[in-house]
Amino acid sequence: MTYPGMKQHQKDLLMEYGPRLKDIDESYIKDLYYPILDQVYGIMEDKVAPYVKKWDEEGAKFVNGKVQFPQGVLEAYNALVRDKSGLRLFEAFLPEEYDGVGLPPLMAGVIMETIASYDLSLQVTIGLSTTLIEAIGLYPTPELTGKYFPMLQEGAAGYVGFTEPDAGSNLKNLKATSTLDGDDYVVKGTKIWISNAGYADLGLVLARNIVDGKDEGMNAFIIENSMPNADGNGGPGVVCSRLEEKIGLHSSSTGVLEFNVRVPKENVIGQVGKGYQRILERLMGMRMGVAFQSIALADRAYELAKAYGEERHQFNKPIASFPGVANKLTGMEKELMRMRRLGFEASYVLSRSQQKLTVNPNYLKVDADGQAMLDSFPLYSAAVVAFTVSRAKMYNSEVGWIITDDALQIFGGNGLAKEYNVERLLRDFRVLRIYEGTSEIQEGILDRTKAAAKAKDLDSLMALAEQTGRPEPEFKPLDYNKIFFTRFPKSVDAFKDENNEDFYLYKN
C-alpha cells in the first residue's frame, strides 16, 4: 500500500487546538509548520519506507563494544536532524531565544506520530534528544544552553539514564551515586534498558546526591559519553557493556550503561539534591510522546487491516463485509478518533503549561475590569499536566494494543508472516504499555491527580496537588472473564451449564 501524506484529522485538530495557544494562528500553522511536516513526510517516504522491513530483520548489533545499525538507518537519521542544507529537525524544538523555531508540544506530537508511523525504532532514536532539550529548557543556565543546545541543534543523539536493576517504576530506589570532588561530580552506577545505548553522544542521568557519606536527595546531570573516567586512567567514563535482544524495536539500540565518570558541577540541571522533584516529575514530553506513538502504530495497523479486509475474499465476497471483521474495523476507526483527541488534549495542556498559561477557564482569575489574568499562576499546576498526559498515555497504549492485535486477527494466519508488516507493528507496540511508566503506574497517577486536576479554584488545586499520602487501594482481582465476554457477548451462553452457572469455575 502507499503511505499517505499529512492526514485530515491532523490538520483539523491542529487548527482546532493551535490558535488557542499564545502566538499561534492559522498562518503560523500553514506557513511555518506545514512545510516542516511536509519535509518529514518526504524523508520518511524516500529514506525509510522502502527499507524498514530490512532494518527490522537485521536489527542493531553490538560489535567490539560499538553499535552497528543496519545500512540506511543513520542516513535517515542524518537527513532528519543533521543535514545542514535540509531539515535539521532539532532546530524546530529549540526555543526561539536559542536560534530555534520553538515548536510547542502540540506540534511536536504530530511530528512524533508521523515518524513513528513509518518506523518506531527511528522515532525513538530521534525523540530522546528532544527530551534533553526539554530538560535543559526547564532550568536553563549559560553553561548548559551555551554548550548543549548547539550540539543538539547539530543533531547530537541523546539518551535518558534513569532505570536501574533495582529501580524501575520506583526511581526513588536508585543506587547510582554522585559525589562532589573539587569542581566535578564523580558519578558511579549502572543503568539498564537505555535506548540509544552505545550510540548516543550525551544523556540525562539521575543519581543520588551524596554529601559527607549521607544521602541528600538526587541530582540530574547532562553527561557526555566523552567525559573522562573517574579513575584518571584515560579510559572512557561511560561504557556500554551490552545490548538487549528485544521482541520489537529491532533497529533501535537498547542496552546497559556503566558509569564511572567525572562530570563538571555546572552540568547539574536545576537545584542540587532536587533532581527527582524538579526534573523527573516535569518531564511530561516523553509520556506524551508514547500517546502519539500509540496513535501512529494503531492507525497504521488499522489501515493495513482495512485494505486487507477489502482485498481478501472468502465465500465469494471480501472478508470486510462479514460482521466479525466489519465490527472490528468500525470499532477501530471510532477508537482511533478518541485516541487522537486524547493525544492532542495532552499536548495542548503541556503546551499551555510551558507557556505559563492556565488551561481550564475555571482557573482564570479576573481583574477589576473583568479581564482574565493569565499570569495568575506562578507555575502551572503539575497535577493538571500529569493527569491529562497520563490519561492519554494509558488509554492510547492499552486501546491501541487491542486495535493492533485485532488488526493482526483480521489477517488470520497471514498476519503472522513478516511479509504483511502487521506482525512488526504488534511486536513494536508491546513496549508502549510499559516504558515511560506502565499502565498500572499511570492508573496510580490518575488516582492521585484527578481531584486536583478538576479543582475549581487555585487554593484547592494547589492543596490537592501537594498531597502525597493516599489509602492503599482495595484488592480486587482482575476479572478476565468479564473482559472476554465484553468482547464476545454472543458467546456467554456457551459457557453456562444447565443451571445457568459458569461450568468452568472450580467448585469448593
Side-chain angles (χ1 to χ4, degrees), residues 4 131 395:
T131 299
Y395 188 90

Side-chain angles (χ1 to χ4, degrees), residues 134-154:
E134 181 185 6
I136 296 171
L138 283 171
Y139 299 97
T141 65
E143 293 81 7
L144 290 173
T145 59
K147 183 173 185 180
Y148 295 116
F149 274 173
M151 283 181 63
L152 292 162
Q153 188 178 36
E154 294 289 333

Side-chain angles (χ1 to χ4, degrees), residues 163-180:
T163 306
E164 297 182 3
D166 295 320
S169 298
N170 181 18
L171 288 178
K172 291 184 178 180
N173 198 37
L174 288 178
K175 299 295 190 295
T177 60
S178 58
T179 306
L180 187 61

Side-chain angles (χ1 to χ4, degrees), residues 38-54:
D38 285 342
Q39 285 183 277
V40 173
Y41 270 114
I43 293 170
M44 301 307 290
E45 280 287 324
D46 294 341
K47 298 187 178 295
V48 178
Y51 313 109
V52 65
K53 187 184 297 186
K54 180 173 178 287

